[in-house]
Amino acid sequence: MSMTKDARPVNDAELKQAVEQHLIYTLGKDARHASVYDWRMALSYAIRDRIVGPWFHATRRTYEGQRKRVYYLSMEFLIGRMLEDAMINLGLLEASESVAKSLGFDLRQIIEDEPDAALGNGGLGRLAACFLESLSSLGCPAHGYGIRYEHGLFRQRFEGGQQVETPEDWLTQAHPWEFARPESAYEIGFKGEAVNGDWHPSESVIASAYDMPVIGWQGRWANTLRMWSAKPTTLFDLERFNSGDYAAAAEPEALARTLSRVLYPDDTTYQGKELRLKQEFFLTSAALQDILRRYLSEYDDLTKLPQKVAIQMNDTHPAIAGPELIRLLTDKHGLEWGVAQDIARATLGYTNHTLLPEALERWSTWLMGNILPRHMQIIERIDDDHRRATKRPAHVGIVRNNEVQMGELAFIMSHKVNGVSALHSDLVKKTVFHDLNELHPGRIINQTNGVTPRRWLKLANPPLAGLISDTIGDGWIGDLDQLKALEPHANDKAFRKDFRAAKRTNKVALSNWVGETMGVQINPNAMFDVQIKRIHEYKRQHLNIFETIALWHNMRENPDAGWAPRVKVFGGKSAPGYAVAKEIIHLINDVAQVINNDPVTGDMLKVIYPPNYNVSMAERLIPAADLSEQISTAGKEASGTGNMKFTMNGALTIGTLDGANVEIREHVGAENFFLFGLTADEVIKRRRNVRHARDAIEASQNMQHVLQLIVEGRFSPTDPDRYHGLVDRAWNHDHYLVAADFEGYYTAQRAADKLYLDPEAWSEQAVLNVARSGFFSSDRTIRGYMADIWGTESALDGEEDAA
Ligand SMILES: *Cc1c(COP(=O)(O)O)cnc(C)c1O
């Protein structure tokens, strides 16, 4: 076990004693009556104690070295469970196993008892969580800033095949990973009037900090995720209470509680809601006040801020950071306007995550002026300065059509703007920021996303991780490029056999879980074909379920045509108000009902859709996948990160040339990837033909059968008209080109069938996918941000030599 000098190594006996002590003195429980929950808390506190050493050490090193710090501002952190991740990064998993044995609890059960911290919707929030872990693993001094939502992403159930949302309540239990910091509190104002830089808010709340340490690989460094919770400035109005107006007396508390109560459950459409704007300002202002306070505790010259501070905006959600930083520097600290603007720009960076027009944030100038009157003035002045300085064309600007365009604001206030895959960054330059790119050449750069191999390979897939370490050593965990050393083993028969055995272990485990939780028996010898991600038309789960229907139909027509047995696995939530996505969910569940009960296809085809997809479910499904579905309409998925997790875990991808699929295919080799579909350029051209869907359907027997079966009510016999709208859209409003891509997809699936029936050939390609997935580590991504955007270095370099 390797540990820094400040992290006390522990042996099993010490850890056991720590767990017992916490059980007694923190939980107040006698071991004889301890529940799973009690043991989990006791173990979590014992593990947490081991993080504190490296955490303090990292803070001291950062102060002593006068290091530049990175601040990652994000409205979402989709963290998942923390206990196992912490045990793994501290090297305490085996010790915990032996402690569990000797104290008589089941470690697996304890781990699975922890609720997911689901403070995010999907990819964007999960990326933020992977980045935090990599920042710590790389020893980059950093803080994450987020909101401590009382309720994270809703829980999903199916009733009659339809999505039903229920509130999520992760904070109803004690949260052992956080430390309340009531002394770190800032006032956040809203509304009121702003006259000559003098803003008098008429409402305010207190942002109160909760800190979660984030431990890096091998426990060498720990950063902080600081989450803000809203508290009332005055608990309640005693005068009003005494005069009998109880509701009004509680108003300040009500405002505060609403602010950090719920996560907005939609990641692809923008809603101009006052509460959302308030949440964004709440996070941003609290973070910036905290950052300036910390800076001024060490330095006194605010003009040097960019030398010691880098602030990254995860999408435009915290884009009010530009105006807010200028406000704090000018109104509060007396700097000149121009100086403040330069400091802000040199400090800020902005990551663009989407080109979908419906997702680009913009606020009416009326709402912005009402909620943040001082910021509205600052935004107009930034815009005026930019117009004068660049002589830009008239259609370019932050304030357009009486709306504040948050993308333009973030762009203009940042020294670097990055996209999240090579294709996406290229499209950012050509589309949303075409004009700004010409005015500011070089500002847009690319940083292809990545995922942390600690969680997504070592933690999620012990059989494969063990095999890799036995074969090439365990250096890959901290340096994923070392997976390259597996390449020669791809044509080693014995290794491939072990590789298939590891995959099979995961598939059997998943089959058992599906049997227990859903009552459906699936065959672990079948190809596990998995599409898990938010449900959205551009991600095209409907293309997948259409192909499933065509496959079922053709299997029944021609049972002996050499089909590979398949289990189609779906997972994902729809935004509560997204009717079309909800209809797709309903259809998948209806199709599953019919297919899973068809004795003709039997074991040859099953459709599984476990409810409530989240990080923990991803950890269960991805290691068991043979085929990864990455089938978005080209040009729509900015990067994807699910695609990377699958590649790392030895699934082959069937996918379009979209987002990071392009780079995955380049890395693993075109011959080890099932490609289909129009390219981003072809998509745009094809859409100009108003008959694109009709033409494609008329040319495809398969599509005709599929739409016919759906429209005649084959999957909804008690409600045969249920999908008439959906079928009508397939013919007439197929914006995401499902029909145009259908035959190519179907053909690629049959190539996958063929390869799957040759296990040696399949596993050779799967091994090559793993061996060539090193590029997709978020460690590589973070190194890129450090070098190209933040100008920071690891504080761990040279530490080992010094120790
Ligand atoms: C990785 C991940 C995502 C992102 O998946 P994509 O396929 O890239 O959209 C979403 N949700 C969860 C729970 C994840 O783990």
Side-chain angles (χ1 to χ4, degrees), residues 78 116 121-124 126 451 456 532-534 538-539 613-616 618-619 622 629-630 637 639-643 645-646:
L78 187 47
D116 273 37
N121 275 288
L124 173 143
R126 184 53 235 174
V451 300
W456 293 110
I532 45 175
K533 48 184 76 246
R534 286 301 286 255
Y538 85 78
K539 293 176 182 276
Y613 174 59
N614 59 12
V615 171
S616 299
E619 290 164 9
I622 292 168
E629 297 272 353
Q630 308 299 336
E637 187 74 86
S639 163
T641 49
N643 46 4
K645 301 168 196 165
F646 281 101

Side-chain angles (χ1 to χ4, degrees), residues 627-660:
L627 191 66
S628 160
E629 297 272 353
Q630 308 299 336
I631 61 177
S632 52
T633 313
K636 294 293 178 187
E637 187 74 86
S639 163
T641 49
N643 46 4
M644 302 168 183
K645 301 168 196 165
F646 281 101
T647 302
M648 244 172 233
N649 281 278
L652 301 187
T653 303
I654 183 164
T656 50
L657 285 178
D658 200 16

Side-chain angles (χ1 to χ4, degrees), residues 62 67-71 135 139-143 221 223 793-795:
T62 306
R67 293 277 179 175
K68 184 169 184 174
R69 292 183 178 84
V70 170
Y71 295 101
L135 283 161
C140 173
H143 293 245
W221 191 267
N223 287 318
E793 283 168 9
S794 168

